[in-house]
């Protein structure tokens, strides 16, 4: 039979509030609202459906601080991850947020009211403390630390949730189960023991062998339970991954395995995340949970070392195994033995027996170059799916992002690049000059800082969609702020798929040259006070810290600069 939910009761808020759903829906029409972020949307779905049991809302300050410091809610229940609703000062003021205030929480995709939050408290978190305690370090090389620093707003709002509906999904609907639905499915099939497998990556033959071995060792069935919410920036998109999972399911013995999708926003928090994942799978009805090597690790820190030890996650989960009440199945890395055509845990391979492995880096290289991927490593259907979504470098899109002062020469460089790319052929070419995509088409109007940021977000969205489709995209906004440029880079990494090849070119032409050759008179009008907010006069241009190339039209001609950019792309294998 399925395991007992964490805390003893499955907190299925949708079932709990079924009788008052119509009343809640009507109330949401007159309430002020919060439009959720993508992470908040994932979190809310798992609060509503019981995946985060015993939570019934977003954590108040006491629970938040207790979880950050002790991995426990105030009542002592083990729960290692803060689940919070962040809002800005503007939100607090606009909504007049205070205790017992009720606000509607809306889906950012369609504006539908999903729940009503009754505010318990509003508090300012210590984000450094959260990073150090939960993620292990306040290091921006960790994607969740970067998220904390750049995306999380100043305040957290705690409070209980009244559920109206779950978010509507249009993709892979038959594979999306709530905990109650998955538990009912296991019960219908009389699956008494279920080994859950967590993944955010495509599965290959080693993963299949690992899960089959785990099932046979424990005389259990297998739940393949991949994350389709937010994962690590740069990961394979979930559409591609689910096609891979569906194809690999046919490789399991008949009736052994089942595929279901998890709408989780991962934090890549290693050991803590492994405990969290175990709790979630327990709520979904699993009785066993596989914890592998470097579970939910984000990679290297700023010093080039792994954030977590390879078996830290297994050790922390083992520490709490009695409270988790789910059997932990630890596994080392699987390796291939060509002499017997089988996979085996690395620690069980006899001394002297030859083994073969392909690292994630090597796999990505082979996908990019079109090199052969052997059938001992993966299945033909999996490789075919990956090649369709991630073509060789020469067919991938890319984004050249030129940043610099007005009249620095960046627009001329951009137009010259467009001509060269069109001459070479092989890709569609799109040019996004700053003024050409301004929605108001007022070339003399100077954007505020907030407007600049919003303008860059529009550029990032358009550029990402074009690059995802294989286009060469040249964007040339002023983009004077480091935070704005970083937001563009992150958006491209998250949205552009195989086209997420981003090159930042700093056109570092001196301000005096830009002014002296300014035929439009922008700088002259700024100096005379006619217009305000001109970068280089009223507002500083923040020099990029991570430019791929720095150029200056007073030192090199446009053809020379264009050639240096072409060489950069050729070195990267894109031309």
């Amino acid at each position: 039979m399925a395991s007992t939910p964490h805390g003893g009761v499955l907190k299925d808020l949708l079932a709990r509030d079924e009788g008052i759903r119509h009343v809640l829906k009507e109330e949401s029409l007159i309430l002020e609202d919060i439009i959720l972020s993508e992470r908040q949307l994932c979190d809310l779905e798992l609060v509503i459906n019981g995946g985060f049991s015993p939570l019934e809302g977003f954590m108040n300050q006491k629970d938040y601080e207790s979880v950050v410091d002790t991995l426990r809610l105030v009542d002592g229940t083990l729960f290692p991850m803060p689940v919070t609703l962040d809002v800005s000062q503007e939100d607090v003021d606009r909504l007049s947020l205070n205790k017992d205030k009720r606000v509607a929480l809306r889906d950012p995709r369609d504006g539908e009211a999903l729940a009503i939050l009754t505010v318990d408290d509003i508090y300012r978190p210590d984000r450094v403390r959260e990073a150090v305690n939960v993620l292990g370090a306040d290091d921006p090389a960790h994607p969740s630390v970067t998220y904390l620093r750049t995306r999380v707003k100043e305040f957290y709002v705690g409070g209980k949730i009244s559920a109206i509906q779950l978010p509507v999904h249009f993709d892979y609907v038959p594979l999306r189960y709530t905990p109650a639905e998955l538990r009912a499915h296991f019960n219908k099939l009389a699956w008494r023991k279920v080994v859950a497998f967590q993944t955010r990556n495509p599965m290959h033959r080693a993963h299949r062998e690992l899960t089959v071995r785990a099932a046979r060792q424990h005389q259990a069935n297998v739940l393949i339970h991949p994350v389709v919410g937010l994962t690590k920036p740069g990961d394979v998109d979930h559409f591609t991954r689910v096609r891979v999972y569906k194809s690999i399911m046919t490789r399991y013995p008949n009736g052994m395995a089942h595929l279901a999708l998890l709408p989780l926003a991962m934090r890549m928090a290693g050991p803590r995340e492994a405990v969290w994942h175990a709790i979630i799978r327990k709520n979904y009805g699993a009785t066993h949970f596989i914890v592998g090597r470097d579970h939910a690790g984000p990679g290297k820190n700023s010093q080039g070392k792994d954030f977590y030890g390879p078996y830290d996650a297994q050790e922390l989960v083992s520490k709490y195994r009695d409270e988790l009440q789910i059997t932990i199945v630890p596994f080392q890395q699987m390796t291939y033995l060509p002499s017997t055509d089988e996979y085996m845990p690395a620690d069980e391979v006899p001394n002297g027996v030859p083994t073969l492995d392909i690292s994630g880096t090597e796999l990505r290289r082979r996908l990019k170059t079109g090199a052969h991927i052997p059938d001992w490593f993966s299945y033909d259907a999996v490789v075919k799916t990956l090649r369709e979504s991630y073509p060789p470098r020469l067919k991938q899109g890319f984004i050249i992002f030129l940043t610099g002062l007005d009249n620095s020469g960046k627009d001329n460089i951009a137009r010259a690049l467009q001509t060269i790319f069109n001459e070479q052929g092989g890709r569609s070419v799109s040019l996004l000059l700053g003024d050409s995509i301004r929605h108001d088409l007022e070339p003399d109007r100077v954007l505020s800082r907030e407007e600049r940021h919003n303008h860059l977000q529009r550029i990032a969205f358009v550029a990402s969609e074009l690059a995802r489709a294989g286009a060469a995209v040249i964007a040339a906004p002023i983009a004077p702020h480091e935070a704005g440029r970083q937001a563009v880079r992150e958006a491209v990494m998250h949205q552009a798929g195989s086209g997420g090849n981003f090159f930042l070119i700093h056109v570092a032409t001196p301000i005096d040259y830009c002014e002296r050759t300014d035929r439009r008179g922008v700088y002259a009008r700024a100096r005379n006070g006619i217009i305000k907010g001109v970068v280089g006069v009223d507002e500083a241009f923040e020099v990029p810290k991570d430019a791929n190339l720095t150029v200056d039209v007073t030192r090199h001609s446009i053809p020379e600069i264009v050639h240096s950019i072409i060489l950069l792309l050729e070195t990267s294998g894109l031309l």
Side-chain angles (χ1 to χ4, degrees):
M1 67 187 299
S3 59
T4 302
H6 197 55
V9 177
L10 184 68
K11 300 292 186 177
D12 185 340
L13 306 190
L14 204 62
R16 184 200 66 185
D17 297 338
E18 173 67 31
I20 58 171
R21 184 177 305 172
H22 177 72
V23 174
L24 294 171
K25 182 74 172 178
E26 289 299 311
E27 182 185 2
S28 72
L29 297 176
I30 60 172
L31 291 176
E32 294 177 286
D33 49 43
I34 294 173
I35 306 299
L36 300 171
S37 68
E38 192 174 0
R39 176 192 277 193
Q40 291 167 349
L41 181 66
C42 291
D43 286 352
L44 179 63
E45 181 167 0
L46 287 166
V47 170
I48 289 176
N49 72 18
F52 283 170
S53 294
L55 300 189
E56 296 182 71
F58 291 99
M59 291 180 181
N60 60 24
Q61 185 170 8
K62 288 182 179 179
D63 275 329
Y64 163 75
E65 292 179 348
S66 180
V67 166
V68 167
D69 292 339
T70 71
L71 290 81
R72 297 182 182 279
L73 301 170
V74 169
D75 66 8
T77 303
L78 178 68
F79 204 94
M81 197 64 60
V83 176
T84 55
L85 180 68
D86 59 294
V87 296
S88 65
Q89 180 69 66
E90 181 184 352
D91 293 327
V92 173
D93 296 339
R94 174 178 61 86
L95 301 170
S96 301
L97 291 180
N98 51 56
K99 186 173 175 58
D100 296 327
K101 173 89 173 187
R102 286 169 70 81
V103 292
L105 303 181
R106 294 190 177 273
D107 191 321
R109 303 165 303 168
D110 57 17
E112 285 292 323
L114 304 177
I116 294 175
L117 171 75
T118 301
V119 176
D120 186 4
D121 58 6
I122 305 154
Y123 55 100
R124 187 186 294 272
D126 184 339
R127 287 186 279 189
V128 172
R129 178 175 156 202
E130 180 178 338
V132 171
N133 288 8
V134 177
L135 305 172
D138 185 30
D139 184 341
H142 195 299
S144 287
V145 172
T146 297
Y147 189 94
L148 267 175
R149 291 186 179 187
T150 62
R151 305 280 293 279
V152 173
K153 299 170 185 174
E154 308 98 289
F155 296 95
Y156 290 171
V157 178
K160 296 295 178 77
I161 292 297
S162 299
I164 299 174
Q165 66 180 60
L166 289 169
V168 175
H169 296 286
F170 297 100
D171 58 326
Y172 306 117
V173 175
L175 301 177
R176 293 181 181 270
Y177 293 78
T178 67
E181 290 169 345
L182 200 53
R183 285 169 166 272
H185 182 74
F186 295 156
N187 186 58
K188 182 178 181 179
L189 297 178
W191 285 12
R192 296 182 59 81
K193 291 192 288 185
V194 179
V195 179
F197 179 65
Q198 143 81 30
T199 182
R200 56 172 242 272
N201 294 311
M203 290 177 66
H204 300 286
R205 186 174 165 186
H207 304 103
R208 185 265 185 198
E209 299 299 325
L210 182 157
T211 50
V212 168
R213 176 181 284 250
R216 287 174 174 164
Q217 284 180 355
H218 296 273
Q219 297 182 349
N221 290 93
V222 175
L223 169 64
I224 305 300
H225 208 204
V227 171
V228 294
L230 289 180
T231 60
K232 183 181 176 183
D235 279 354
V236 175
D237 67 275
H238 84 271
F239 295 104
T240 299
R241 289 191 288 111
V242 176
R243 289 197 294 272
V244 165
Y245 304 141
K246 290 174 70 175
S247 69
I248 210 168
M249 293 304 293
T250 62
R251 298 288 180 165
Y252 282 89
N254 189 35
M256 174 181 279
H258 185 70
L259 173 64
L261 309 183
L262 180 67
L264 177 69
M266 290 183 66
R267 272 57 163 184
M268 306 304 299
R272 282 205 186 211
E273 182 123 358
V275 176
W276 194 36
H277 288 175
I279 290 171
I280 293 167
R281 274 34 184 247
K282 175 184 171 184
N283 288 330
Y284 271 87
T287 56
H288 297 63
F289 180 57
I290 295 173
V291 180
R293 186 179 183 277
D294 192 27
H295 188 102
K300 305 292 184 183
N301 63 19
S302 295
Q303 286 72 50
K305 298 179 180 179
D306 290 334
F307 271 96
Y308 315 113
Y311 302 109
D312 286 357
Q314 292 182 0
E315 291 172 5
L316 190 65
V317 171
S318 295
K319 176 181 176 180
Y320 294 111
R321 67 168 66 244
D322 292 340
E323 290 180 78
L324 286 171
Q325 295 182 340
I326 184 172
T327 301
I328 302 304
V329 183
F331 258 94
Q332 291 204 359
Q333 183 174 349
M334 300 289 285
T335 188
Y336 178 68
L337 280 62
S339 59
T340 55
D341 188 28
E342 65 177 333
Y343 275 84
M344 186 177 292
D347 62 337
E348 297 181 16
V349 177
N351 290 334
V353 175
T355 62
L356 293 174
D357 292 293
I358 292 179
S359 68
T361 300
E362 173 62 13
L363 174 62
R364 287 189 290 273
R365 186 194 70 78
R366 294 187 184 212
L367 287 170
K368 288 175 181 177
T369 61
H372 176 63
I373 297 172
D375 57 8
W376 63 259
F377 176 79
S378 195
Y379 300 105
D380 289 343
V382 170
V383 174
K384 180 176 182 292
T385 297
L386 291 174
R387 290 202 190 281
E388 288 171 352
S389 295
Y390 290 83
R393 294 283 278 177
L394 287 173
K395 295 184 178 180
Q396 293 177 15
F398 58 82
I399 298 170
I400 301 295
F401 192 88
L402 298 151
T403 177
L405 295 170
D406 187 71
N407 199 44
S408 61
K410 59 183 176 58
D411 288 5
N412 290 337
I413 296 169
R415 293 188 182 96
L417 281 170
Q418 181 186 33
T419 300
I420 294 297
F421 293 155
N422 279 328
E423 178 188 8
Q424 292 183 345
R427 290 183 179 90
S428 63
V429 183
S430 295
L431 180 63
L432 307 177
L433 296 182
D435 287 337
S436 69
I437 59 172
R438 285 262 300 276
H439 66 87
D440 52 353
L441 297 178
E442 298 177 47
D444 291 337
R445 182 158 120 34
V446 178
L447 298 178
S448 68
R449 187 181 183 108
E450 181 180 0
E451 288 173 326
R452 285 190 191 281
H453 181 79
N454 293 337
H455 181 54
L456 285 179
Q457 290 300 104
R458 288 192 291 270
I459 290 176
F461 173 77
V462 173
S464 296
E465 292 300 307
L466 291 168
R468 177 191 286 275
V473 183
I474 310 154
I478 294 174
H481 305 120
E482 183 68 20
R485 294 188 295 261
Q486 190 60 37
V488 171
R489 185 187 292 273
E490 290 174 6
V492 169
M493 287 289 292
H494 183 60
Q495 299 170 11
S498 63
N501 303 294
F502 183 85
F503 300 91
L504 179 64
I505 313 298
H506 178 205
V507 185
T509 306
I511 180 68
D512 58 346
Y513 179 88
C514 296
E515 286 197 59
R516 183 162 47 86
T517 60
D518 177 22
R519 296 174 60 192
R520 290 169 54 211
V522 172
Y523 291 105
R525 281 177 286 163
R527 298 290 184 193
N528 292 327
I530 298 173
I531 54 177
K532 300 291 184 182
V534 172
V535 176
V537 178
D538 305 309
E539 189 173 351
F541 182 94
E542 299 173 5
V543 176
K545 300 176 182 178
D546 56 353
N548 297 96
L549 190 65
T550 299
V551 299
D552 176 351
V553 299
T554 66
R555 294 176 177 270
H556 299 97
S557 67
I558 298 293
E560 289 173 329
I561 292 171
V562 168
H563 186 63
S564 66
I565 296 173
I566 295 297
L567 289 176
L568 177 64
L569 294 171
E570 288 179 344
T571 302
S572 301
L574 290 161
L575 293 179

